[in-house]
């Protein structure tokens, strides 16, 4: 019998099983053994029923803001970090533990409401699919797919607006032209512009865990043009009582986006959503069309395989290529 401290024992254990150093959280309420020792002060149900995965710059804030008008939707509290998103499943906050995540929703869960976590870094995260499925295997997942070239350019403009030195110094064309001889910050910016738009590749990572019936691929371009239609599709997917968004949303010709109608006024999203910038160059457009050709073809194949509708922009592209 060897007497040693718990810390020494833990060190010994994790030396043997280093892959277990990172915890993986499960829902204590779904496991009888855990539930029996779950504090009576804690309530079940403080976890998301719906996760909007992203990616960034596809209209995720607009979708969340509009869905929040529905009485059966409970959006997570705004995080003071990470641009108001929880980003729990993709980032370091995961190590703060389950109670930290649960505190994003009120303790008294009304079973008629659907709780949402919208964190646009989840989509392309390597860690989030496994973590999400362990914790909330029955959650419904929403991905917003904006034409990926448009998304890439929006991300570049976002970085410029946030005074990223590289984005301020180099034009979008120069970013796209970066290669292995370019400096790291330029290569990184190019990667961040392009990588989240590899839609099929990222969706497949989520489908390793979740059944395709729990995933909706919503159309980011349609959300800009006709949010009422997109919200109708989302409401059906979430089995929500139908709210007539045509009554609640109104187009603002100055903002050039849909806004919420509020007492004869329009409440639009903030300055950082729906920015004004010049169109990308022809050269950038051609680069992006050719860069995403293979990825888009893979997305068509994947969506057909799982019997999902193609977003409008992808349908148009696939008809052009026939
Ligand atoms: P731009 O500012 O580049 O136009 P996200 O919230 O995922 O970061 O996405 C931001 C993008 O949402 C904006 O990018 C804008 O194009 C898009 N968007 C869609 N509907 C919108 C709306 N009603 N109001 C403002 N932006 C909207």
């Amino acid at each position: 019998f060897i007497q040693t401290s718990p810390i020494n024992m833990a060190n010994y254990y994790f030396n043997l099983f280093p892959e277990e150093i990172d915890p993986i959280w499960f829902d204590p309420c779904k496991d009888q053994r855990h539930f029996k020792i779950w504090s009576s002060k804690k309530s079940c149900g403080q976890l998301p029923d719906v996760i909007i995965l992203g990616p960034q710059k596809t209209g995720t804030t607009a979708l969340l803001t509009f869905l929040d008008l529905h009485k059966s939707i409970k959006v997570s509290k705004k995080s003071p970090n990470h641009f108001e998103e929880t980003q729990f499943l993709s980032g370091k906050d995961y190590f703060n533990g389950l109670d930290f995540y649960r505190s994003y929703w009120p303790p008294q869960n009304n079973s008629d409401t659907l709780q949402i976590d919208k964190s646009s870094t989840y989509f392309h995260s390597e860690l989030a699919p496994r973590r999400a499925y362990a914790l909330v295997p029955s959650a419904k997942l929403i991905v917003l797919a904006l034409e990926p070239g448009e998304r890439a350019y929006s991300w570049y403009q976002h970085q410029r607006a946030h005074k990223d030195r590289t984005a301020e110094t180099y034009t979008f064309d120069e970013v796209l032209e970066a290669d292995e001889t370019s400096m790291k910050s330029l290569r990184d910016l190019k990667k961040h512009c392009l990588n989240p738009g590899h839609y099929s590749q990222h969706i497949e990572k989520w489908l390793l865990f979740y059944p395709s019936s729990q995933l909706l691929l919503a159309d980011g371009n349609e959300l800009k043009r006709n949010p009422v239609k997109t919200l109708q599709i989302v409401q059906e997917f979430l089995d929500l009582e139908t709210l007539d968004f045509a009554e609640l949303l109104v187009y603002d010709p100055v903002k050039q986006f849909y806004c919420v109608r509020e007492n004869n006024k329009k409440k639009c999203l903030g300055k950082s959503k729906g920015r004004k910038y010049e169109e990308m160059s022809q050269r950038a457009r051609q680069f992006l069309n050719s860069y995403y050709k293979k990825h888009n073809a893979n997305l068509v194949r994947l969506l057909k395989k799982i019997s999902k509708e193609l977003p409008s922009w992808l349908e148009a592209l696939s008809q052009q290529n026939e």
Side-chain angles (χ1 to χ4, degrees), residues 19-287:
E19 70 284 1
E20 289 185 22
I21 286 178
D22 280 1
I24 184 102
W25 309 122
F26 293 84
D27 182 352
C29 298
K30 297 267 163 65
D31 183 321
Q32 276 306 312
R33 287 170 314 145
H34 293 167
F35 187 60
K36 278 185 187 147
I37 55 170
W38 187 234
S39 161
S40 58
K41 294 196 192 110
K42 295 183 182 181
S43 58
C44 291
Q46 274 175 280
L47 288 170
D49 305 290
V50 181
I51 313 181
I52 300 177
L53 304 179
Q56 288 158 313
K57 310 316 295 170
T58 54
T60 56
T61 314
L63 178 62
L64 188 75
T65 307
F66 299 157
L67 278 177
D68 200 17
L69 300 170
H70 198 293
K71 65 175 182 354
S72 301
I73 292 287
K74 190 93 215 144
V75 166
S76 64
K77 233 170 43 191
K78 289 188 169 132
S79 162
N81 314 312
H82 330 298
F83 307 101
E84 304 185 345
E85 300 184 336
T86 80
Q87 299 190 2
F88 179 80
L89 299 166
S90 55
K92 292 214 171 63
D93 283 357
Y94 190 73
F95 302 106
N96 292 345
L98 208 47
D99 283 347
F100 179 88
Y101 192 36
R102 293 170 61 253
S103 70
Y104 279 105
W105 294 276
Q108 292 309 326
N109 177 37
N110 171 354
S111 60
D112 291 340
T113 61
L114 290 180
Q115 303 188 144
I116 300 198
D117 177 6
K118 182 282 264 192
S119 292
S120 49
T121 49
Y122 289 169
F123 182 59
H124 57 279
S125 158
E126 294 300 322
L127 295 166
R130 190 160 83 98
R131 288 175 172 179
Y133 191 68
L135 191 56
V136 281
S138 50
K140 289 194 172 171
L141 312 176
I142 301 177
V143 175
L144 256 182
L146 183 72
E147 187 282 311
E150 217 173 295
R151 198 216 74 86
Y153 190 45
S154 172
W155 174 256
Y156 166 79
Q157 293 294 347
H158 174 85
Q159 290 302 89
R160 276 177 71 86
H162 283 266
K163 306 244 172 289
D164 174 84
R165 283 280 294 279
T166 315
E168 283 191 316
T169 311
Y170 294 93
T171 63
F172 188 51
D173 290 24
E174 286 167 334
V175 174
L176 295 180
E177 277 156 21
D179 59 21
E180 61 283 2
T181 64
S182 310
M183 61 181 203
K184 185 169 182 310
S185 67
L186 194 56
R187 282 185 278 128
D188 284 350
L189 179 58
K190 177 176 177 180
K191 194 168 123 202
H192 280 114
C193 285
L194 298 177
N195 179 292
H198 302 174
Y199 292 142
S200 62
Q201 186 187 317
H202 299 303
I203 292 171
E204 275 176 2
K205 281 187 312 202
W206 286 90
L207 293 180
L208 288 177
F209 296 91
Y210 284 90
S212 59
S213 56
Q214 277 171 242
L215 179 118
L216 174 73
L217 187 86
D219 184 335
N221 293 68
E222 188 71 32
L223 178 73
K224 291 189 197 188
R225 275 193 307 264
N226 186 356
V228 174
K229 185 173 163 202
T230 309
L231 287 157
Q232 181 59 33
I233 294 169
V234 172
Q235 290 188 95
E236 276 168 28
F237 173 67
L238 300 180
D239 289 324
L240 286 169
E241 196 183 305
T242 309
L243 181 62
D244 184 4
F245 279 94
E247 299 275 308
L248 302 170
L249 304 183
V250 56
Y251 185 76
D252 184 306
V254 179
K255 176 93 180 165
Q256 298 180 338
F257 279 100
Y258 277 84
C259 303
V260 175
R261 200 191 292 271
E262 226 178 54
N263 308 326
N264 289 332
K265 285 201 185 132
K266 292 174 197 144
K267 192 163 175 235
C268 299
L269 266 61
K271 280 207 298 281
S272 65
K273 305 292 167 187
R275 294 190 172 103
K276 300 254 184 291
Y277 39 81
E278 60 182 29
E279 272 192 31
M280 72 172 89
S281 69
Q282 272 299 329
R283 194 179 162 83
R285 190 16 92 194
Q286 273 164 10
F287 174 95

